[in-house]
Amino acid sequence: MAGRRLLVATAVVAAAAAVVAAAALEAINVTTVAFEEGYTPLFGFDNILRSADDRTVSLLLDRSTGSGFMSSSMYQHGFFSASIKLPSDYTAGVVVAFYTSNGDVIEKRHDELDFEFLGNIRGKPWRVQTNVYGNGSVSRGREERYLLPFDPTTEFHRYSILWTRAAIVFFVDDVPIREVRRTPAMTGDFPSKPMSIYATVWDASTWATSGGRYRVNYRYGPFVASFTDLALLGCRVGDPIGQMLSSAACTAAEDALLASDLAVMTLEKQQAMRRFREQNMVYSYCYDTLRYPAPFLECDVVESERRRFKGSGHLRLAFRRRRRTRPGSRPARPTRAADM
């Protein structure tokens, strides 16, 4: 019992330290756009609601359809961001996604960078999954999954993707949570072709919650995901095939992005990223030896970290996230990662 209390106390202290460290990072300031300036409806048009100032968009999932929107242009690298508030209550089977892709125009060789938010049964937290696909490498998913250190349904939180020719970085509230550096080991799996930016909400009952055990229950719908603070920073291109033939037009813009504070991974950013991952990552493809017996060459496997994960890639022990509690209240008990 004493050991369990020590584990809980250690987790609470570490989480508090992570919050302080995140607060010390300089906020990312980029220009945001109105919906009409950078985006267009994709599907479920009647389920897309826009605010009077056109800067907040709500996507609905109901019995009839989900909904989504996409950028009006494709981009050769850039910084893409949105503040998102997720549906609350029973959300099993619901997936909200904010991602980049060229799958609509390049079959079998598409690239993709994902934030996928996976709903859950009442009382269980939303989980967020990041993924990287390059050149159609869908059989080699590079998933990582995290629990968020806040309730993503009560207020907006910012999720951002930085994509350059050198690296990909995922951010949550301006804290980097994952960096994928371009290495020779990735060969063509590193995304390199122009992509559009998408936001969607849809029914993923077949897999999203406990492998399809819990499905969408439309008695709790409609499920509403809201997006605001939309940011599109990058080199716009019209035709991805044409851009691959002549990419010089974007070189100057990307050089400026690489030299900016956005792309510089400072020591403070590295430390904040390590703390986030230690406290919140519950699955990593790098430790999933059941699915991938031959490890990915780009994985920087840390032995002390590897021991925290099972052969399935899931964390051996996780801590149940609690919503804001009264000062002095008893901290959460440990729970198995499988319960998440």
Side-chain angles (χ1 to χ4, degrees):
M1 188 68 177
R4 173 174 289 185
R5 289 175 178 168
L6 178 60
L7 282 173
V8 173
T10 301
V12 171
V13 171
V19 171
V20 172
L25 291 178
E26 186 175 348
I28 296 175
N29 294 313
V30 294
T31 302
T32 61
V33 299
F35 181 84
E36 192 71 27
E37 293 176 310
Y39 286 95
T40 186
L42 178 63
F43 71 100
F45 304 107
D46 291 338
N47 280 4
I48 301 175
L49 307 179
R50 294 158 62 175
S51 63
D53 64 0
D54 205 32
R55 289 189 171 270
T56 300
V57 184
S58 293
L59 299 180
L60 279 64
L61 167 66
D62 58 22
R63 294 180 186 275
S64 63
T65 184
S67 53
F69 60 86
M70 65 180 293
S71 59
S72 304
S73 300
M74 301 186 78
Y75 292 81
Q76 180 66 45
H77 305 121
F79 180 84
F80 316 110
S81 182
S83 292
I84 305 172
K85 184 165 67 172
L86 299 175
S88 60
D89 205 356
Y90 186 99
T91 55
V94 177
V95 169
V96 175
F98 178 67
Y99 63 105
T100 70
S101 178
N102 47 37
D104 289 341
V105 294
I106 303 177
E107 295 183 3
K108 299 182 180 180
R109 295 188 300 107
H110 86 283
D111 306 300
E112 190 167 311
L113 303 171
D114 297 332
F115 269 115
E116 289 182 307
F117 303 90
L118 311 179
N120 220 326
I121 59 176
R122 183 185 287 120
K124 298 291 185 180
W126 279 82
R127 297 143 298 155
V128 59
Q129 177 170 284
T130 62
N131 210 339
V132 175
Y133 296 113
N135 205 32
S137 58
V138 293
S139 64
R140 299 184 296 279
R142 290 172 163 85
E143 300 101 327
E144 287 189 350
R145 193 172 296 170
Y146 325 86
L147 296 179
L148 295 168
F150 49 77
D151 183 347
T153 71
T154 58
E155 56 187 3
F156 286 92
H157 291 270
R158 181 151 69 166
Y159 306 89
S160 310
I161 300 171
L162 173 68
W163 171 44
T164 72
R165 61 175 176 263
I168 297 156
V169 184
F170 295 88
F171 297 83
V172 173
D173 283 338
D174 300 342
V175 176
I177 68 168
R178 180 183 184 184
E179 181 184 30
V180 180
R181 299 204 63 81
R182 186 171 196 160
T183 65
M186 288 192 73
T187 60
D189 284 4
F190 190 92
S192 60
K193 298 181 287 294
M195 291 188 278
S196 299
I197 297 83
Y198 296 82
T200 57
V201 59
W202 53 291
D203 185 331
S205 291
T206 57
W207 65 271
T209 308
S210 298
R213 178 181 177 187
Y214 300 102
R215 306 178 67 84
V216 173
N217 187 334
Y218 286 102
R219 290 193 297 124
Y220 296 95
F223 303 96
V224 181
S226 297
F227 298 74
T228 193
D229 298 331
L230 302 170
L232 294 167
L233 178 63
C235 182
R236 296 184 181 184
V237 299
D239 176 10
I241 304 302
Q243 178 63 20
M244 285 188 290
L245 295 175
S246 177
S247 59
C250 287
T251 300
E254 185 177 3
D255 286 345
L257 178 62
L258 283 169
S260 71
D261 291 339
L262 279 174
V264 176
M265 186 61 72
T266 63
L267 178 60
E268 290 77 14
K269 288 181 181 179
Q270 293 175 31
Q271 292 173 336
M273 180 170 65
R274 185 181 68 251
R275 281 187 287 265
F276 183 95
R277 294 168 66 82
E278 287 175 350
Q279 292 301 313
N280 300 285
M281 189 168 72
V282 294
Y283 172 83
S284 173
Y285 75 103
C286 286
Y287 301 115
D288 191 345
T289 56
L290 298 182
R291 185 178 178 188
Y292 304 113
F296 287 74
L297 296 178
E298 79 269 10
C299 287
D300 184 14
V301 174
V302 179
E303 184 60 26
S304 60
E305 182 177 76
R306 187 194 64 79
R307 290 196 296 266
R308 296 170 47 226
F309 291 83
K310 297 181 289 188
S312 63
H314 292 89
L315 193 66
R316 294 182 184 277
L317 180 68
F319 289 89
R320 178 175 296 171
R321 302 301 188 204
R322 294 173 68 96
R323 295 181 181 177
R324 189 172 298 171
T325 55
R326 298 185 304 275
S329 60
R330 186 175 181 178
R333 66 170 178 83
T335 186
R336 294 178 300 115
D339 294 336
M340 298 297 186

